[in-house]
Amino acid sequence: MAVHFSVDTKLTRLLGETYRSSEAALKELVDNAWDADARNVVIKLPDPLSSESIIVQDDGTGMTAAELRGEYLNIASDKRSRIGKETPSLKRKVKGRKGIGKFAGLMVAEMMRIDSVARGKKCTLVIDKKALIDNGNDLEAVDLSFEEQTAGPSVVGTTITLSMLNDKLNFPTPDRFREVLIHEYGREDSFKVIVNGVPLSVQDVPGTAARSNATLPAAGDVDLRFTVAEGKKVPRSPGIILKVNGKAVGKPQLFGLDEDEEIPPKLARRVYGEVEIGGMEDYVTADWGGVIENSKPYQEAQLFVQAEVKKQLEATYAKEMSLQKARLKRQIDARLAKLPENRRHFAEQAVQKILKRFYGESDERIETIVDVALDAMERDAYWEVLERINEAQKSDVASFAEALEEFGLLEIAAIGIHASHRRRFLDYLDQLVQNEMTLEKDVHKAFEGNLWVLGRKYSLMSSNVTLKKVVNTYCETAFKGDRASKRPDLLLSQDYGDSYLLIEFKRPSHPIGRDDVAQAEKYRDDLSPRLSSSAKMEILLIGKGRLATLDANRLAESIAIHSFASVISSARTELDWLITSLSSPPTAASQMSGEASGTRG
């Protein structure tokens, strides 16, 4: 004989209790409006201890009688399985997943009424929580109040009314509710959320809010509003959104503060705001995705935003650093007391740099880092040698020369240790490239911070912030959809002149062919106009080597192909020579060479 599950009506209460707060439960109803492609959602929260209802009204697609019965009342029905991962009209990422969001309102209230208008019909569904729980039947057998009537053809949307609010819970407050919503919906231009007549704004982010206004010669009126978020939770989309005529332009940005060495990156990511610039309308790109960054209005406004936000960040930073240093003061002071007095000033400076460098880390991690640093300062032989040199300067020339020689020997020893560490790195790198599972992105990560592996010719080159912006801007326009994963790897420059190097990494198991070369040349052709007109760009491709069918003699002089094996082998040979040279005593020939060199000097 077959048996079946029985759905107890008390499930209604259990599902409503899955939310941590009244505000979190109400947010579920806002998420439903988002999934319904609503452009506006208006929430009315009553005064505490009043008998008024909570009302959540949206102008989304609404629901027909069939949709209410077959989908809304279908418990645990995943919305994504019905409509896909994106909403039909506005292509938003669907939030509803578990199919239990409908019970969110029953956490807050005893009675939930749903009025939904779609395709000329208005459906009204009333859910009585007490009636559900007290009913002894299966949940599927409980009768719900349902009506359908004709509505105006131009009216659409859903209104949820929550009445007989739960007096055992604190009433949801507008301020707290806006804080819950701001991180997720504060950046959505196509989705306006209004709570008790007040739209979401940057002021709703918990933290220190600031506002600055100015009239600039080129940029015109500038209105800047931002908040430095507090606590561990940072804004989902940090940065300042640029608005022109009330419309957002591009993505949130930090107007150069992310490149400021005086601002810790984690602190900069706590900025959330918007700036309205009056004189930018003629400098917005056609797709409204950005502005002309070298325009005078933008650069003028950028300096203003930088100065105002940095001032607030520095105040926040100084306060938090003081608090963190105070928490660590006992431990730091005990270690500093062990150092000679003439070293303490430098040690204190080093500790301050550590606190800044590792801003946002836990006290335990900071304490460990400070301990290691102070250990090194206590034992570092450089201190003694530098003190000897300082004393020797006041003495005779021979003593001074001897002290310098000692420092040189210490430098040689340090170079030898450093070379040995690099040698070990190459061993690990060799393991990485020999692994069949290693991808292009894996070797990219390994090489980007270790350009010395490519040889002295490339070790002084760098991929600075400007070049990264060039590549990122190019990739945002050229690499979308199916091409998103096929973007150029590294664009490097010399510290002088207009010489550039485009590096393309391939899988270590991938031999480089004509198509790979053509792709790299296409990158070069597309990137070149974004650099100066006199710029020269070489191309370096690294993979398993070149295909036998690719004739190296037919390659342009500006294109080089290497295998990972040859690159690592060359770097290892050079390091082995250096380590051997440093550990061997000088030969007579080298001594004579040194003496001759001294004579010429």
Side-chain angles (χ1 to χ4, degrees), residues 218-221 242-247 249 276-286 288 290-292 295 297-298:
D221 293 335
L242 169 62
K243 289 191 172 182
V244 177
N245 294 334
K247 185 177 178 181
V249 180
E276 179 88 25
I277 305 176
M280 285 297 301
E281 188 171 0
D282 295 335
Y283 302 97
V284 178
T285 58
W288 216 255
V291 296
I292 300 174
S295 64
Y298 177 78

Side-chain angles (χ1 to χ4, degrees), residues 88-375:
S89 177
L90 299 180
K91 303 303 178 185
R92 295 169 176 167
K93 186 176 180 180
V94 173
K95 296 182 185 292
R97 297 185 179 185
K98 298 179 181 178
I100 61 172
K102 59 187 69 67
F103 292 105
L106 296 180
M107 171 191 177
V108 182
E110 293 294 316
M111 190 79 69
M112 181 166 70
R113 173 182 171 128
I114 300 99
D115 293 291
S116 195
V117 182
R119 294 176 279 290
K121 296 289 185 178
K122 178 182 177 181
C123 298
T124 300
L125 173 68
V126 179
I127 302 176
D128 185 334
K129 181 178 177 180
K130 186 174 186 302
L132 286 180
I133 295 174
D134 291 346
N135 195 305
N137 296 322
D138 222 5
L139 186 60
E140 295 175 333
V142 177
D143 291 328
L144 299 175
S145 173
F146 182 82
E147 294 181 1
E148 184 180 13
Q149 59 192 53
T150 303
S154 61
V155 180
V156 290
T158 300
T159 300
I160 296 178
T161 304
L162 304 174
S163 55
M164 299 174 63
L165 302 184
N166 189 343
D167 58 7
K168 295 180 181 179
L169 299 176
N170 289 327
F171 268 48
T173 66
D175 290 344
R176 172 63 185 142
F177 192 35
R178 280 194 285 266
E179 285 181 14
V180 170
L181 296 172
I182 185 65
H183 292 303
E184 194 152 346
Y185 296 118
R187 296 288 192 204
E188 299 295 340
D189 279 344
S190 67
F191 189 67
K192 301 296 184 185
V193 181
I194 299 173
V195 182
N196 281 22
V198 180
L200 293 184
S201 76
V202 297
Q203 316 302 90
D204 294 322
V205 176
T208 305
R211 185 167 188 170
S212 300
N213 298 281
T215 301
L216 304 178
D221 293 335
V222 179
D223 184 10
L224 170 65
R225 296 186 303 152
F226 67 95
T227 297
V228 180
E230 64 184 14
K232 294 182 179 180
K233 187 176 181 181
V234 298
R236 177 170 295 189
S237 300
I240 294 173
I241 198 79
L242 169 62
K243 289 191 172 182
V244 177
N245 294 334
K247 185 177 178 181
V249 180
K251 298 178 180 179
Q253 55 178 305
L254 286 168
F255 287 85
L257 287 167
D258 45 339
E259 302 167 22
D260 193 322
E261 294 182 355
E262 296 180 1
I263 303 297
K266 286 190 176 181
L267 180 61
R269 288 196 292 271
R270 288 168 57 180
V271 176
Y272 187 97
E274 58 185 41
V275 59
E276 179 88 25
I277 305 176
M280 285 297 301
E281 188 171 0
D282 295 335
Y283 302 97
V284 178
T285 58
D287 63 351
W288 216 255
V291 296
I292 300 174
E293 294 185 355
N294 64 346
S295 64
K296 289 183 178 179
Y298 177 78
Q299 292 185 347
E300 188 180 63
Q302 182 181 39
L303 291 175
F304 172 77
V305 173
Q306 279 182 0
E308 293 300 312
V309 177
K310 185 174 180 178
K311 184 166 55 179
Q312 187 62 57
L313 286 176
E314 286 178 336
T316 302
Y317 169 72
K319 178 182 177 182
E320 294 189 359
M321 286 301 92
S322 297
L323 291 173
Q324 187 170 57
K325 195 171 181 181
R327 292 194 296 270
L328 297 170
K329 189 175 188 308
R330 184 175 179 182
Q331 176 250 347
I332 292 174
D333 286 350
R335 295 299 307 273
L336 291 175
K338 297 179 181 179
L339 292 172
E341 189 173 346
N342 62 326
R343 295 191 196 177
R344 289 178 195 166
H345 174 68
F346 299 102
E348 287 173 350
Q349 287 183 328
V351 168
Q352 192 63 30
K353 287 181 179 178
I354 290 170
L355 293 176
K356 183 175 181 179
R357 168 67 178 80
F358 295 95
Y359 171 85
E361 298 290 350
S362 65
D363 285 353
E364 291 75 15
R365 292 193 68 178
I366 295 289
E367 190 173 353
T368 301
I369 297 164
V370 169
D371 255 342
V372 172
L374 293 176
D375 270 342

Side-chain angles (χ1 to χ4, degrees), residues 53-71:
S53 301
I54 294 174
I55 300 174
V56 180
Q57 184 176 14
D58 71 63
D59 58 0
T61 55
M63 292 176 284
T64 62
E67 288 167 342
L68 270 167
R69 291 192 181 100
E71 298 176 10

Side-chain angles (χ1 to χ4, degrees), residues 373-416:
L374 293 176
D375 270 342
M377 291 176 198
E378 287 175 6
R379 301 171 186 174
D380 194 351
Y382 277 96
W383 288 102
E384 296 178 14
V385 177
L386 287 169
E387 286 171 8
R388 278 199 59 189
I389 292 174
N390 186 48
E391 290 299 319
Q393 289 184 68
K394 306 169 188 177
S395 184
D396 59 284
V397 174
S399 298
F400 186 46
E402 185 181 341
L404 290 176
E405 181 190 19
E406 186 175 345
F407 186 80
L409 293 173
L410 193 64
E411 278 289 307
I412 289 173
I415 292 171

